[in-house]
Amino acid sequence: MLGDFRVSDDAARAAQLLKEHRASIDRLDAILVYTLAERFKHTQNVGRLKAEHDLPPSDPAREASQIERLERLAREADLDPEFARKFLNFVIAEVIRHHETFQS
């Protein structure tokens, strides 16, 4: 009988921990979305400036530098640098797409 209470207590504790982890994940997802929105506001301003001054929409040297920087930060944060590189490449592609629309 006593063993049944322990299993029930363990399951309740696990459910509570799961709820807490999920709440943290939800908060972090919101931070990511708002951070990306803020980043894109700045990159769109950069795109407008580039268009006004007839500069190319992409800057391969800066992109390479940023990828190196993000990979280094990922290693420091114990995040897979390959994932960080793929993520930044995805973001950069979207930024360039935005910049190209300003060039039209």
Side-chain angles (χ1 to χ4, degrees), residues 20-88:
E20 291 169 11
H21 285 300
R22 286 179 172 164
S24 292
I25 289 166
D26 291 349
R27 281 190 302 276
L28 291 167
D29 285 346
I31 290 168
L32 286 170
V33 167
Y34 280 93
T35 300
L36 282 170
E38 183 69 17
R39 187 185 195 286
F40 279 111
K41 287 174 190 171
H42 287 284
T43 60
Q44 287 175 355
N45 288 332
V46 167
R48 286 183 191 95
L49 280 170
K50 285 181 172 184
E52 288 170 16
H53 297 282
D54 202 27
L55 297 169
S58 91
D59 182 346
R62 174 158 167 79
E63 293 159 20
S65 172
Q66 286 298 93
I67 289 169
E68 280 182 29
R69 179 178 161 271
L70 196 68
E71 287 176 335
R72 185 181 69 254
L73 290 171
R75 284 189 292 276
E76 291 171 6
D78 199 26
L79 178 68
D80 179 5
E82 177 68 13
F83 170 78
R85 185 185 60 74
K86 287 178 183 177
F87 177 75
L88 187 58

